[in-house]
Amino acid sequence: MSFAVPSASSASAEGLLALADEAERRRDFPAAAACLESALRPPHNAALLPLTEARARLRLAALLLAPRGGAAAPRSGGAPAAAKAHLERALLILSPLPSAPPRLKLLAHSHLAGAYAVLGAVPSQKHVLHRGLGLLASASASGLLQRGPALMWTCNFQAQLASALTSDGDAGSALSALSAGAVAAAELGSPQLELFFAASALHVHLLCWEDSAAVESSFIRATQLWDALPAGQKEHWVGLFFYIELLRTFYLLRICDYKAASQCVERLDTAVKSELQRGRRIKDLAEELRAVERTLGQPGLKERERSALSHKQRQLKAQLRALCGYDKLSDVLDYGDKLLLAPPPMHGEWLPRTAVFVLVDLMVVMVGRPKGIFKECGKRIDSGLQLIHDELLKLGIVDGVTEANLEHSTMWTVGLYLTLLLQFLENKVAVDLTRSEFVEAQSALAQMKSWFTRFPTVLRGCESTIQMLRGQYAHSVGCFDEAAFHFLEAIKLTESKSMQLMCQVYAAVSYICKGDAESSSQALELVGPAFRTVDSFVGVREKTCITFVYGLLLMRQHNAQEARQRLASGLKIAHQQLGNIQLVSQYLTMLGTLALQLHDAVQAREILKSSLTLAKTLVDIPTQIWILSVFTELYRELGERENEMENFEYERKKEDELQRRLSEACSHDFHQELVEKSRIQIQPLHDTSRRQADMTGPTANGDLDIPESVGLPTAQPSFKRLVDQGSGRRSTRRR
């Protein structure tokens, strides 16, 4: 009897492991996890050999950490901690076992580092990765691991280490790790991995941006590697395509090369449409394959039927491999819906597939909005917001849920989608204010405030943007003093030098629009220091905007000739490099006003015609009124009485329309809450410090996502209803 219990336990354990194998083959991952958990519990675990137990714990941890193929249920809150415990136990078992394959030990280290990343334990993550690299060096030196696999594992660990170091804010060490990985990729002769490390290095450079020459060099290196790839490889490496093209877009937007950025976005948009079709085809084929395999698993099939089904199975597998570009069918079924960046054992993705598609929609908006393509922008904003809300719903983010309810395992993904959500809402506010849709802008700002108050730590980097948008709203409805307050408060809430300068510019415009001498002095105090430092910024956005305000101040000081020169140079940059037609329209209006003051009526008329055309394209009512008021003065000076009266009537009609919209906006309760001189009040969390630590970085292998890349500062100038030096404060600007 003493030997019967172990035999029964052993048979039961083996049976459970076999059931787990069968469940995984059917893609029934919850059932597979349940079988493995049973096998690893007493009394069955006592019958398992050490190596068998370690393998089972590794398999279970992988299922708990990374549900695959869309068939598994979402990871529960306690799954990462359970996975960590299984991996730590597996390493304790494997470490003293001389018979344990080096690959198994390396895999355990890699998975455990991934579990620590999910749990936000970055110091432990770095420690286990360094241990893994030490084990790898030992196995390579002793000949237990061949050169090819050793180089691949080097790439894997260096990519994970770079991600951990980036999360820890150590960009220099992260770049060193990526450099080591790139050397291994080159020795391995893998163009895919070389490009992966080059793109990841560009990503880190975009994060720190300490040396513009180094960032440009990294951009060129990644571009050259991508351009050198054969077309066939580019088609298969879809994840790398999106990664490199989006990073290039971020860089080009940062240096204000909007023409090249638009070309990147066009390629991305085309690729999304193609990838959506491919994804649907993969899903259909995978479902058909599962149906065929279920039928093949049924008893009593006739030989002819089994032969036909087996033939169909081979066809479907071949079609799936061709569509996905993977060599192994398991990779097709596990990762067919993911945009992978690297081959096994890495299998990392930068962002979830839906997030990448949403980000492309956002890029379309960002390059289209300055051009005034508002109809298409509106469609993309609506579709992007819908996709994000769908994903947040899957993550359990419903009414009433706050960040206090979040598990760490979902916090990063929730933060990603919420950050993208606020980016779309920011662009919606900008479009609505340009078109004087004040009530719509109120609604979008109300949503931004609501999300921020529910997730203040997750969205801590967005508070300055919301404060800035409150300033733009206040300015648009004529509350200049409140607008200046919000802009100055936004400066205190951000460490971005670019954002700080732009808010100085916005505040200066609001002070100028107040119209009194003291306010003009306050504007000059803001513009002077900003003008002296503007050449230190990357790109021309800041310089173009500060030149605009400086020219306006020169007009106030009756220095028409110098103002004309400054504004002409700014207009050239705005037109050729920024492509922002609203800013171009306002530059032209100021130049037309100056031409009129200098009694050059012919030039004034031509300039103002161009400006009015652009303002009408944008449906920018305030700028139209501004231009029409200058036209009225022009016709009066020329003695064209009929044109003067006709123009004046049109101007008054536009002013009445604007006043109606302003009155409607001011009648809403949220209006006063937006413009009042205060910051957003949030309820402090009891565990704020812990959650701030939780939000240190990404969780996915090879993932170097950074908020500064997803949301590079994109606020376009919103100088509205500015006045010429002789017209005083406009009637449309009162509260």
Side-chain angles (χ1 to χ4, degrees), residues 6-28:
S7 295
S9 297
S10 177
S12 297
E14 289 176 5
L16 287 167
L17 294 177
L19 286 173
D21 289 338
E22 175 62 22
E24 280 196 83
R25 191 187 68 78
R26 297 195 314 269
R27 326 302 296 166
D28 188 352

Side-chain angles (χ1 to χ4, degrees), residues 249-265:
T249 303
F250 299 151
Y251 172 79
L252 293 167
L253 287 174
R254 181 74 174 268
I255 65 171
C256 298
D257 189 345
Y258 284 86
K259 182 178 180 181
S262 297
Q263 293 170 350
C264 284
V265 172

Side-chain angles (χ1 to χ4, degrees), residues 51 54-55 58 61-62 65 87-88 90-97 99-116 125 127-158 160-161 344-346 701:
L51 198 56
R55 290 182 187 276
L58 281 171
L65 282 173
L87 290 165
E88 288 173 340
L91 266 181
L92 283 175
I93 296 171
L94 290 170
S95 294
L97 281 181
S99 60
R103 179 190 174 279
L104 206 59
K105 294 182 179 180
L106 294 170
L107 189 63
H109 280 83
S110 182
H111 281 347
L112 183 55
Y116 285 138
Q125 180 189 5
H127 175 69
V128 77
L129 287 170
H130 284 299
R131 278 177 49 194
L133 285 168
L135 174 64
L136 175 59
S138 174
S140 300
S142 62
L144 293 175
L145 203 62
Q146 294 183 352
R147 183 172 178 273
L151 289 171
M152 182 61 78
W153 278 106
T154 299
C155 291
N156 176 74
F157 282 123
Q158 295 293 359
Q160 284 186 289
L161 183 59
M346 300 169 73
N701 180 24

Side-chain angles (χ1 to χ4, degrees), residues 690-701:
R690 179 186 71 80
R691 291 195 173 270
Q692 286 178 342
D694 284 349
M695 288 302 294
T696 52
T699 60
N701 180 24

Side-chain angles (χ1 to χ4, degrees), residues 389 392-402 405 451 454-455:
H389 283 300
L392 288 173
L393 189 61
K394 293 176 187 176
L395 292 165
I397 307 303
V398 296
D399 290 344
V401 172
T402 69
N405 308 119
W451 285 111
R454 288 169 60 189
F455 299 90

